[in-house]
Amino acid sequence: MSREDRERMGRAGGSGNRKVRRGPRRFTISMQKRLVVVFLMVLTAFILLAFRLILIQRDNGRTYTMQVLSQQEYNNKSLPYKRGRITDAKGTVLADSQLVYNVIIDASQIMEKDEYLEPSLNAAERLGINKEELRAYITKHPGSQYYIAFKNLPYQDKRAFDKEVEEGIEAEQEAQRKAVEEAEKAGKEASEAEKVELVYSNIKGIWFEDNYIRNYPCSTLAADVIGFTVGNNIGSFGLEEYYDDTLNGVPGRTYGYLDESLNIEQTTIQPTDGNNLVLTLDANIQSICEKYLKEFNEELKDHKHKGNGSNNAACIIMDIDTGGILAMASEPGFDLNNPYDIAAVAGMPKLNEKDAPTTSYMTEGDAQALSDADRSRYLNALWSNYCVSAHYEPGSTAKPFTTAMGLETGTLKKSDKFQCNGTLLVDGTYINCAHLEGDGLLDISGAIERSCNVALMQEAMKIGPETFCKYQNVFNFGLKTNIDLAGEARTDDYLYQAEDMADIDLASNSFGQNFEATMIQMASGYCSLINGGYYYQPHIVDRITSPGGSTVQINSPRILKKTISEETSDLIREYCIQAVEGEHATGKLARPAGYRIGGKTGTAETLPRGNGQYVVSFLGFAPADDPQICIYVVLDRINNKKQDEAGRACILARKILTEVLPYMNIYMTEPLTDEERLELEELGLYDTNKPSSEEEETGDAQ
């Protein structure tokens, strides 16, 4: 079909059914003008908005910034963790963290309506908050949303307050409901019901924030061992300081933020509580030690002079075969729940400018009159643990160590004998024995039994300074034991080096003078003398557990070194038993009824010589045939005219062992005298002990 034919057919089709094909729509000048106008209008709006934001920032920026910061303070808070607890070996809680509450006031909420103010102030007053002081604060800071008005509200007080408010609101709601019902019965609208006075429902802006405070249920028990916390869960002294990182947890936090709809959303990261300490220490054994130390203090208090029964009185009981501390007690003590009570320093010796004790003593008036700086000095002296922080000349308790050195190196034989005429000339100086009349010819065992200085000096001369100094280090004198307690003292500055040791120094060191040690050094070294020569690192924490109770770490007994052989240990044990049981024994008063023990007394004159002041002690083990515990009692400058009475330390050791050994299920092996039976009956111990073998044979019941 030609183009002409198609054109003719198209024209013949008529205009009614004809479709007209049009070209693309044109963007006319008119449309372009309208678009430019719209664009200019939008641009102008943006410019005006930007200008307005600049003006807001200039004129009100600080105000809005403060509001944002206030909102952040309100919605971003630290959540406290619970510091780990400390328990003894049998689960007795010695330190714990108690849940308390801070009372928080939201002044902005209280000031929303006038009717909120008085009910809220009255409610706050019932929580122990000063009503008028709080009113002044709210009036001055009406926009405040976070104000700590009261700290450490006990749980029971918070619970009672919550219950009162809850019941009050329920009562008001019930009264409102009844008023509405009565109005409806009377044919009135609910809005015409009798108005109920709202008190509890109008309490606003008071809420509670969790907090923890450290609590010590046993108060004074093992105070200088446990230590306490200051400030924001910072451990101070004792276990609290040494295991501070272990006991502390990680705080949580709540984060507040605005979502897309400008609603406040919160995210909470829960706190992680601290781990717990389970000790080797036994609270019952500790209590026995503290009871008799306090009894001693009361007996001699104000005796020769105004002041405590001694400058210090202390006792360590230690497991011979593990190094675990079963008890560590000292007097004077303090209350862990009130460690800053300055009255506790009354009776202590006054301190000189170097914090050393003088011969004058603190009265209650002196204690109250102390300046802030002096108060800190005296409290630090009170808080320190004498058993690990103090050093002194140990006296004759060092004699078994000297003898062990000679036996172990072969420079001494158990058959060796030494003549004592009451004094010995060394480097031109006469050094006396305790018995000026002389002890005569003594073997090694007799020298320990009689505590003969002259015999020990002769032993040391045979040993020589090099071997002597070497073995002092072997027994850990001069070195820290690294017991897990804060404040352990070093004593290396108080020991001689072999090249600097003259004969007179060697002689005086042989019987425990002219060098210094700590109680924990002496007790740990002595355990190795008795247990076959195994030196265990002393420790007081048995294991660490998680907040849930699972074991995190076990402090297994740790042998650090071998000090002497089994053979030498057997001989030293035999000599120390003789020092308690022998005819001329100095430690007779230490033997508890029904038991055999071993040990050695000590009497050391303090510096300057001739001042009449002494440290006396008893260092022993029990029972004799199967040593399980070491006991060390030290009395520092007894408040008595005559201070060099080691027998007082022996008596204390006997009283403590009389109760501790039965408690540990260590049974009697020796027959009792009538006097001993009476003593045990008075203590309530007579019927609790297994009969001795002799009495079993005769049918006598014990």
Side-chain angles (χ1 to χ4, degrees), residues 546-557:
S546 70
S550 59
T551 299
V552 174
Q553 176 182 321
I554 296 177
N555 290 346
S556 301

Side-chain angles (χ1 to χ4, degrees), residues 457-495:
M457 287 189 281
Q458 293 176 72
E459 288 184 18
M461 295 304 172
K462 293 189 69 173
I463 293 169
E466 285 194 11
T467 300
F468 190 92
C469 291
K470 171 188 173 184
Y471 268 86
Q472 279 191 317
N473 285 328
V474 168
F475 293 126
N476 230 60
F477 296 134
L479 304 173
K480 285 187 175 183
T481 65
N482 289 323
I483 186 172
D484 46 346
L485 286 170
E488 183 181 7
R490 288 186 66 102
T491 58
D492 50 329
D493 289 341
Y494 301 94
L495 267 67

Side-chain angles (χ1 to χ4, degrees), residues 285 317 319 326 628-629 659-667:
I285 298 177
I317 296 183
D319 189 315
L326 305 180
Q628 296 184 38
I629 61 171
E659 292 197 39
V660 167
L661 293 175
Y663 169 75
M664 295 181 66
N665 293 321
I666 299 173
Y667 297 113

Side-chain angles (χ1 to χ4, degrees), residues 73-87:
E73 181 184 13
Y74 186 83
N75 290 294
N76 295 283
K77 297 181 184 66
S78 178
L79 301 177
Y81 58 82
K82 184 177 182 180
R83 188 173 171 92
R85 64 169 48 183
I86 301 174
T87 61

Side-chain angles (χ1 to χ4, degrees), residues 296 312-314 614-617 633-638 648-649 652:
F296 167 82
N312 296 280
Y614 292 83
V615 175
V616 296
S617 56
V633 174
V634 174
L635 303 176
D636 174 19
R637 284 162 277 200
I638 298 172
R648 288 190 177 273
L652 258 177

Side-chain angles (χ1 to χ4, degrees), residues 145-200:
Q145 295 175 311
Y146 184 87
Y147 170 61
I148 302 177
F150 192 91
K151 289 186 176 182
N152 301 336
L153 182 74
Y155 168 76
Q156 58 269 24
D157 292 352
K158 187 256 185 187
R159 182 179 180 183
F161 177 83
D162 287 343
K163 184 178 180 182
E164 178 189 347
V165 172
E166 181 181 354
E167 291 177 350
I169 291 174
E170 289 177 356
E172 290 171 356
Q173 290 175 344
E174 179 64 18
Q176 284 180 322
R177 186 185 63 78
K178 288 182 178 179
V180 170
E181 287 180 355
E182 290 175 1
E184 290 176 347
K185 287 180 181 179
K188 299 178 181 179
E189 295 292 332
S191 59
E192 298 179 26
E194 182 179 349
K195 297 296 183 182
V196 175
E197 182 183 2
L198 299 181
V199 176
Y200 291 99

Side-chain angles (χ1 to χ4, degrees), residues 38-54:
V38 172
F39 173 75
L40 291 175
M41 290 175 63
V42 172
L43 181 61
T44 302
F46 273 108
I47 292 172
L48 291 173
L49 180 60
F51 182 69
R52 179 57 181 159
L53 289 174
I54 292 171

